[in-house]
Amino acid sequence: MINHIDLSTVLRRTVCDLYSDLVTRPTGAAVRDGIEKQLSELGDRSLTVIDFSHVGLLDYSCADEIVAKLLMRYAEASAPRDAYFLFRGVSDSHLDAIETVLERHGLAIVAQAEDGTVVLVGTVDDPERRAWEAMLRMGRAMAGDLAREAEIAPEQVDRVIGALCRRRLAMELDGGYVVVGAVT
Amino acid sequence: MTTVINLPPSLDERTFETVLEHLAPIPIDEKVLLDGRHTRWASPYGLTALLTIAQTRAEKPALVSPESEETGSYWARTGFFRHAEELFEMHGSTHRARSSGESDVLLEITPVAKSEDVHEVVGRIQQKSASILVKELNIDAKATMGFAMTLSEACQNIVEHAGRGGWVAVQTYRWQKRLGRRVVVIAVCDAGVGFRQSLESAQGRRMSDRWDDGMALEEAVIRGVSRFRDPGRGQGLAGVRRYIGRWDGKLSVRSGTARIAIVPSWDEDVPLEEKLPPFPGAQMQITIPERITDR
């Protein structure tokens, strides 16, 4: 199931209906809490579009509270549910803050551009990037095919796919693997 | 007994040190009168630091406002007197705001104590700063968001660490003497616990033998260390550093008895000053110069 969360709506509902900027840690924490409440109403497995389109400014503190902490929570083995995220409406100035916090924590996200194309943003090692890009080209990919397409040793491909899924950048679907955002 | 301290003719980050030198030996419960009659100019740092001084005194200090109509008018435009009237026993001329072409107040002196204040500051600066930064300082339109982010993070330093409210002001002016260009200056001052005490409050933190205000500033400003154990903390000042690096700006932070600066090529400041007269809290100044474009 694909869920859509407009961050400006969450901001207005959880913090103040006059705000359009995502600034300060308390604001970020309140918005993340609002997102998690919505996630808790979904099934065990979900894909959520986190939409920045109507957000004015995003500062580092807020990016850390919303993006980094949300990802870290759902990448843990103890995550409350199997949730994946696609980030949409991310402007250059949002990206500046988001990239900074992702690098700080060694995280990555999948962001969707206006034309619908998806890109990886953040910290990804070379085999992970090759596997993710190959998966994107192939649509739904099986491990063996992916190893050939991405030129990854067969004995390593499971580890790479496992890392992409754990990091919420790819997901298992009908026995194969797809990048987050390929199924919207 | 009241001790009179003359404010310098030009009240900025550097000359403010002379005020602190005179203030240092005076017990906080003793009356001081800050005499600004002959002050002709004040930077946002000078004005916000003056308000901060008043917060550090147990006995309400007195302030004599500038004699110069032009200076007084500018101080009025910054909103200084509105706050000063609550913190000082005011003497001297009453001034009203008049417009001037030479300096633009981008953000009046604004109290910052809580997260909502940062939202307010960021909202106001975005409305006012975009065209000035682009047209007058030749700063890329994209960078105006970064400017607001920098301001947000600088203000959050008060909310997260100071333990009491502080002040922020933003202004553009022509920095003729040192640079011959226009600059935009952010000043953020508080009389809170300061960097050293804030870092000391971190649980399980071990201090080295050399631990002092200078080292605390190095840890926080250069290495991004925070009192919180959360690994995501400390990114605010790192972001400020990145922004000033990108736009050839200058960052200086004073806390306690030390002052640290990220110094660009156009300035001759020293990276670290220690054994300064004590001043509670933290005082930050960010200067972004006009960009010189090839015509």
Side-chain angles (χ1 to χ4, degrees):
Chain A
M1 179 185 168
I2 298 166
N3 180 41
H4 182 266
I5 294 179
D6 179 344
L7 283 185
S8 68
T9 306
V10 181
L11 171 67
R12 290 192 181 96
R13 200 172 53 224
T14 56
V15 186
C16 173
D17 60 6
L18 297 173
Y19 293 167
S20 61
D21 298 312
L22 285 172
V23 294
T24 80
R25 282 197 178 268
T27 298
V31 168
R32 176 167 40 84
D33 194 44
I35 294 171
E36 294 209 39
K37 279 202 177 88
Q38 289 198 33
L39 293 177
S40 69
E41 291 162 8
L42 304 174
D44 287 342
R45 193 164 199 240
S46 63
L47 169 61
T48 300
V49 174
I50 306 282
D51 195 342
F52 280 81
S53 300
H54 304 293
V55 170
L57 183 72
L58 172 72
D59 72 7
Y60 302 103
S61 303
C62 227
D64 189 63
E65 286 293 331
I66 297 173
V67 181
K69 287 192 175 166
L70 191 69
L71 280 178
M72 285 192 286
R73 179 154 160 77
Y74 287 92
E76 284 173 358
S78 59
R81 55 192 49 80
D82 193 19
Y84 297 84
F85 306 99
L86 177 65
F87 292 81
R88 187 180 285 169
V90 177
S91 70
D92 285 348
S93 77
H94 298 150
L95 204 55
D96 187 21
I98 291 172
E99 277 183 321
T100 302
V101 301
L102 293 177
E103 276 168 29
R104 173 97 169 199
H105 294 282
L107 298 167
I109 59 166
V110 181
Q112 189 175 44
E114 274 181 32
D115 64 3
T117 54
V118 288
V119 289
L120 277 179
V121 177
T123 307
V124 188
D125 68 21
D126 187 51
E128 285 173 2
R129 183 172 293 279
R130 276 189 283 130
W132 189 88
E133 287 171 353
M135 212 181 276
L136 182 64
R137 286 193 299 274
M138 295 166 76
R140 194 169 65 89
M142 310 305 282
D145 300 334
L146 192 65
R148 275 190 296 280
E149 176 73 14
E151 297 178 354
I152 295 170
E155 64 274 17
Q156 288 196 4
V157 75
D158 286 342
R159 180 191 61 78
V160 174
I161 291 171
L164 289 175
C165 293
R166 190 181 64 254
R167 302 184 70 194
R168 314 284 92 185
L169 303 172
M171 59 203 295
E172 193 180 351
L173 188 70
D174 300 332
Y177 298 95
V178 294
V179 301
V180 166
V183 290
T184 60
Chain B
M1 192 181 95
T2 300
T3 306
V4 178
I5 297 173
N6 291 317
L7 298 183
S10 178
L11 185 63
D12 61 18
E13 190 192 21
R14 303 307 306 175
T15 60
F16 202 82
E17 292 301 322
T18 62
V19 179
L20 295 176
E21 273 166 26
H22 287 107
L23 193 68
I26 306 169
I28 59 162
D29 56 355
E30 208 171 287
K31 184 95 173 172
V32 290
L33 183 146
L34 302 175
D35 186 352
R37 279 178 301 165
H38 304 299
T39 301
R40 306 283 303 179
W41 187 84
S43 70
Y45 183 98
L47 294 178
T48 51
L50 266 185
L51 295 175
T52 307
I53 276 190
Q55 290 178 297
T56 67
R57 307 296 300 174
E59 172 72 29
K60 192 175 193 178
L63 173 68
V64 186
S65 60
E67 280 178 347
S68 157
E69 183 78 12
E70 195 183 340
T71 308
S73 160
Y74 167 63
W75 288 26
R77 273 191 294 124
T78 66
F80 175 79
F81 292 121
R82 205 165 50 241
H83 304 295
E85 277 159 11
E86 289 176 20
L87 295 165
F88 290 98
E89 195 183 285
M90 293 299 294
H91 298 275
S93 323
T94 308
H95 296 282
R96 286 202 182 142
R98 282 187 295 116
S99 66
S100 160
E102 267 308 290
S103 66
D104 289 295
V105 177
L106 282 187
L107 180 75
E108 285 187 356
I109 296 172
T110 306
V112 175
K114 51 194 188 300
S115 175
E116 291 85 338
D117 298 331
V118 182
H119 275 274
E120 171 76 22
V121 163
V122 166
R124 276 163 51 191
I125 200 74
Q126 284 182 91
Q127 286 169 8
K128 216 167 171 185
S129 69
S131 65
I132 289 173
L133 292 177
V134 175
K135 286 179 194 161
E136 294 187 22
L137 280 91
N138 293 321
I139 289 175
D140 196 316
K142 283 180 187 168
T144 58
M145 292 298 251
F147 184 77
M149 276 162 72
T150 297
L151 182 62
S152 167
E153 298 293 353
C155 290
Q156 281 180 74
N157 218 46
I158 296 177
V159 177
E160 297 275 330
H161 303 284
R164 69 186 296 179
W167 310 93
V168 58
V170 186
Q171 184 196 334
T172 69
Y173 50 83
R174 178 163 287 279
W175 207 355
Q176 196 61 44
K177 209 170 172 183
R178 195 177 300 177
L179 199 59
R181 281 189 260 169
R182 284 191 80 80
V183 290
V184 57
V185 177
I186 298 173
V188 181
C189 292
D190 71 74
V193 300
F195 279 80
R196 182 165 57 85
Q197 201 181 320
S198 174
L199 289 177
E200 282 170 3
S201 69
Q203 248 188 347
R205 186 178 169 79
R206 294 173 69 182
M207 309 301 166
S208 73
D209 293 341
R210 207 213 102 188
W211 181 248
D212 55 17
D213 288 317
M215 197 168 177
L217 281 172
E218 283 177 349
E219 292 269 283
V221 179
I222 307 297
R223 287 187 274 280
V225 175
S226 162
R227 73 187 162 102
F228 296 102
R229 298 180 81 179
D230 178 346
R233 294 293 185 140
Q235 295 185 77
L237 281 177
V240 172
R241 267 199 352 255
R242 215 171 13 256
Y243 186 78
I244 62 130
R246 199 178 292 167
W247 298 101
D248 197 25
K250 179 181 175 184
L251 166 70
S252 57
V253 187
R254 192 196 198 285
S255 186
T257 57
R259 180 176 167 279
I260 201 165
I262 311 287
V263 187
S265 57
W266 49 262
D267 197 76
E268 290 171 351
D269 205 347
V270 291
L272 181 67
E273 269 186 290
E274 295 183 277
K275 298 187 173 59
L276 296 171
F279 190 28
Q283 298 80 40
M284 186 184 302
Q285 179 170 273
I286 297 162
T287 308
I288 307 291
E290 175 187 350
R291 281 193 96 195
I292 303 297
T293 51
D294 299 329
R295 292 177 199 272

